[in-house]
Amino acid sequence: MSNEELLFRIGQSTEETEFYTPMPPGYRTGHHKFVVVVGTVMSGLGKGIFSSSLAKLLQDKGLRVAPIKMEGYYNIDSGTLNPYRHGEVFVLDDGMETDMDLGTYERMLDQDLTAANFTTNGQILSSVLKKEREGGYLGRDVQFIPHVTGEVKLRLRELAAKSKADVVFIEVGGTVGDFENQAYLEACRQLAYEEGENCVAFVVLTYVMEPGSLGEQKSKAAQLGIKRLMEAGIMPHIIACRASNPVKEKVREKISMYTNVPMRRVVTMHDVESIYTIPDALRTAGIDREVLTLLNIHDRVDQGKEDQARLKWRQFVDRISKPRKDVTVAVTGKYTALRDAYASIIKASEHCGVQLGANVNFKWIDTTSIDASNVAKRLADCHGIIVPGGFGVRGTEGKIECIRFARENKMPYLGLCLGFQMAVIEFARNVCGIDGANSTEFEKNCPNPVIDILPEQKKIEGLGGNMRLGGKDVEIKPGTLAAKLFDNARTIRLRFRHRYEVDPKYIATLEEHGMIFSGKHPTQPIMQILELPQDVHPYFVGTQAHPELTSRPLRPQPMFLGFCRAAMEFAEGRLRQPQAV
Ligand code: GLN
């Protein structure tokens, strides 16, 4: 970066002025609008779902929207976070490892996001410190205000300019009052001040309690939570009240009265059966129009586009409430106690279920206690099995037993990343007779490392020995099940997050025994999709990728769709007679 560029980026932070308003190239003041979504009372209220539903309403109207999740933690990304604490790591196409909320936005908006849509305090601080080392602050002492907050504002405006957004949706992580999100809130306050009227709308998601012992809704916690926001100099424009039951008018009145927010902008957001009904509920409450008014952008609405989008969504939502056939899918996973760790798998299955008229139920299986003697019993009531991604040796032998069971009993199988690798190991051991076949991740010096780290292959992609991350092209072999699933596309794109892969020196043996590698790296011997021939097994598919990350409500991911269809057929007992592999 040239000095001139640097100075441009950091704005006017000099001895002469207290303002620090770096404007990125391409930023159109007055054109880009912002909706800031914050939470009070407690976290875990579904801020991401709320914010993405609201963003969807504007997107449906033909506006360009760009969400950003601002995390309070000091990690640079979510890559090292334990899914048990934080839910799954959601990988974006550009390789950024993010919070699971980004998945919510991608699904709701049917839009691929990038690293620009995600920031952490860690990223903000490291940018500030880097600029300080580059001499970027013109001799000033570097301070929380204006420099840290300035960096936050820069991020927001950069996203607006880069995405040419009509409206940027800013979701501030955690709740108002957390130490961690002070920089974000203060930056948003400054943003509203700098951008001027009708440019920034503050939306609060709060919680109305209904203690069982009282049997009535209480608004005090909500009032106090919003007060914290007002203490930070931010007046809310819209308040959405999360609650178990519809929020009573009296309670809304109380909240309205204590916060200066008119009643029409205090809405109930009680529990619903399906999150996909939330956009319509918000529209019915008139929140979309309130946002247009607050941001003065009614003239940007494309009515025809909105009518079309609504119709499509309506049809999807209608299918949800129709009666559906039950299928049960076993999911083997280390984090069996926490569903958030597998959020995208659950969502992808749900998308397929809605399309196919199936109600996909999950049976979570801890494989540490599974062996050849009990696997049949444990999987007896299941119609398909998914072995999801994972790291470490725990439970791997049990997973191999499950895969053997699925293969031998023609139970539909979908292996995701680790599940792909485990399927290769199972096949190598039990079909090819390769003794001691394993992954070096689990057994460093195993006699036959069919799965291994092959840095020389990754070097070609410029990744060295690191994790192979993000969207990559996959070349599909014509005439295979994969080709059928992907409508005979020659090249598709999937997202990856792995270190290990199939060692090419075993490929010939695996293929001779019937395994088909139907998806490969376009130029390198990196195996990306495997399957068994259709006359051997109705649906045995694995992928080194994470197809669950790219499934969307109206566009279910093909490998999941094929799997769910096969599981339904398995449930109906319509499968062909078994043949020996
Ligand atoms: N542990 C395996 C690897 O690193 C699989 C990773 C995953 O399932 N995401 O390659």
Side-chain angles (χ1 to χ4, degrees), residues 1-10 134-136 138:
M1 193 186 298
S2 73
N3 216 24
E4 202 182 304
E5 257 179 299
L6 181 70
L7 293 183
F8 179 67
R9 269 171 63 86
I10 64 163
E134 286 168 350
L138 305 170

Side-chain angles (χ1 to χ4, degrees), residues 317-336:
V317 174
D318 283 349
R319 277 204 299 273
I320 297 175
S321 46
K322 293 240 169 70
R324 292 184 265 152
K325 290 183 193 127
D326 278 306
V327 289
T328 303
V329 170
V331 184
T332 67
K334 194 153 93 172
Y335 306 108
T336 42

Side-chain angles (χ1 to χ4, degrees), residues 388-392 416-418 421 441 467 497-501 544 546:
F391 295 83
L416 308 172
C417 203
L418 181 71
Q421 298 172 357
E441 182 180 1
M467 192 96 93
R497 183 174 186 249
H498 67 115
R499 275 194 193 89
Y500 297 79
E501 60 190 286
Q544 187 61 82
H546 286 280

Side-chain angles (χ1 to χ4, degrees), residues 330-393:
V331 184
T332 67
K334 194 153 93 172
Y335 306 108
T336 42
L338 193 73
R339 306 294 133 90
D340 276 0
Y342 299 110
S344 290
I345 292 176
I346 296 172
K347 289 289 162 202
S349 307
E350 189 184 24
H351 304 155
C352 301
V354 173
Q355 172 141 336
L356 299 172
N359 195 18
V360 184
N361 303 301
F362 296 97
K363 182 172 174 177
W364 303 93
I365 296 197
D366 178 359
T367 51
T368 47
S369 59
I370 285 198
D371 57 31
S373 71
N374 60 15
V375 64
K377 202 166 148 232
R378 295 284 293 277
L379 295 177
D381 49 356
C382 300
H383 309 122
I385 172 161
I386 294 176
V387 174
F391 295 83
V393 67

